[in-house]
Amino acid sequence: MFAEKLENIKNVNSQHLTKNIKLGFLIAGIITLVLVCLAKFSWFAEKSPVSLVVHNSQPAAAIFVSKSSPAMVSLLINPDGLQKIAPKGEFSQLKNRLLAKSNIDYQDDIKPWLGDEITLAVTTIDIDRDPENGLQTGYLMALATAKPEKSREFLELLFSQRAFSGTNLGIERYKGVKVIYDNTEYSSGVNIQNPKSKIQNDLAGAVVNNFVLLANHPQVIKEAINNLQAPDLNLISSLEYQKATQQISKNAVAITFLNLPEVGKWQGLELAESIYNSQILSFVFNSQGLLTESTFFTNSQILPSYLPLSQPVGALQYIPKSTALAIAGTNLSKLDNSDVAKLWKQVTASIYGSSQDGTARLLQPLATIQDHWNLNFSADIFNWVTGEYALALLPNAENTTPNWLFVSEKTPELAAGITHLNNIASRSGFNVSSLTLDQQKISAWTKITATSKNNTSIDVDTKVKGVHTTLDNYEIFSSDLRTLKTVLSQKQKSLLENPQFQNSIATIPQPNQGYIYLDWENSQDILKRQLPLLKLVEVLGKPLFDNLKSLTVSSYSSEPGTLKGGVFWQLH
């Protein structure tokens, strides 16, 4: 088969040969295949009786990766295992489409030897460590091989294709390992013909310890060999990584490890308000969808944002089933100094320069409410919400702006909190008044305007800006009377009776710190208008969002120095 491949390559007209088969095609072809398959095919798991068998709980290729590596992503199952739950023919079509530009045939050239792991790592921010000639990131792909001889034939085939297309090749022995690479003229990583240019994206490869290693420069391969032979250099020797691997979820089919300070340097970000040092993500299938678990690590003391909950928040009984977005938990008074808040500040400050700017851009609806009401959520609301709470956005057929509900458990601090809101409303020009709705006493913030039409008549217009009332042991706030009437009539089922919501929270471990629940299927248009970030997220994760019904986010930290949470993607 190998000899036939070489002969076929010789006979192909040069104009049909790929001029320069770069590592990027293989990365796009295999790693993109991994990530797309996780998103695109996970929703077939519910109907498929096949269970995915994960042989390794940790990526063995970490022995090749430096402890200073910014990022590593690993698939811990043979890609053909995903084919068992994919629609007929679609998996093969995707593989062929992604590998088309490399003249590599997955079925003939890769499948015969590919094992149960594919790892891609960003090994270094700058291969030659010389910023004067530009930063060139080092990439390493490690593919486990079940048949080393077959994988060596693959490597020979790959570089033979490059030779026939006009690329000069180099071969050398490095510490007993045969390394094949593009023989571009380099001097300490600098192109001699253009000393100020960046290192070119070329290809280098080797077979080491039952792994096929591919990189965008031979120096990356050599450093991988160094990391193998000097264990104190590789990622496995990192205490931060050792802590992270203890948090890998059971039956995870893929994991990602991030060294956050190095990721910041790689992306040109200044990690402002930095608390967390590293992160590990695990991807787990279940019968309903995909659970992504994430753990952040810090050496600082952090506190959970809420008291642990072993059952759903009672305030959700007043949130209608048709809710687009619901957030529920306990004790907002501790939110500012919590583990979640510190993570939010680190992320937004690093990307946008300040946490305030990031919050305003990412959570536009909340920023609008604050400006409109002259509110500061933390000082004016969060401080007196010490019990259960639930916040919801509901679709509004008559307006692009959704209606909202806020439910707070009655506590000793509640009365003072309402008085404070009344004072803010009065200063903003609203009237604080009482009225009766279906025999229920309601407090309302209204704005009354009078317009003279002629000498004999005056039109009075009353606009309700917000209402609230007491029901059982909860205070219910709403944007309008109609939404509040829906809650009081109790004709609609609550979110707690929604099977989709029940299935979602059943997947989240207990105890936890509450939920953020997003009904994507019925409310995506409203949410895209209110939360601009979702438009970008949907584009990046299109295969997943095409089949998404809802997603649920929760935090359930239980160990000092860690913030652990999960996102459950409920799929069709």
Side-chain angles (χ1 to χ4, degrees), residues 520 532-542 545 551 569:
W520 179 254
L533 179 65
L534 284 179
K535 296 179 183 178
L536 174 61
V537 172
E538 185 191 21
V539 170
L540 295 177
K542 192 176 188 304
F545 280 88
L551 65 85
W569 309 78

Side-chain angles (χ1 to χ4, degrees), residues 57-59 76 241 244-250 252 255 280 282 293 564:
S57 60
Q58 298 180 19
L76 302 177
Y241 180 73
T245 55
Q246 295 174 12
Q247 300 293 331
I248 295 177
S249 306
K250 184 179 180 181
I255 68 126
I280 194 162
S282 303
E293 286 201 306
K564 187 167 188 174

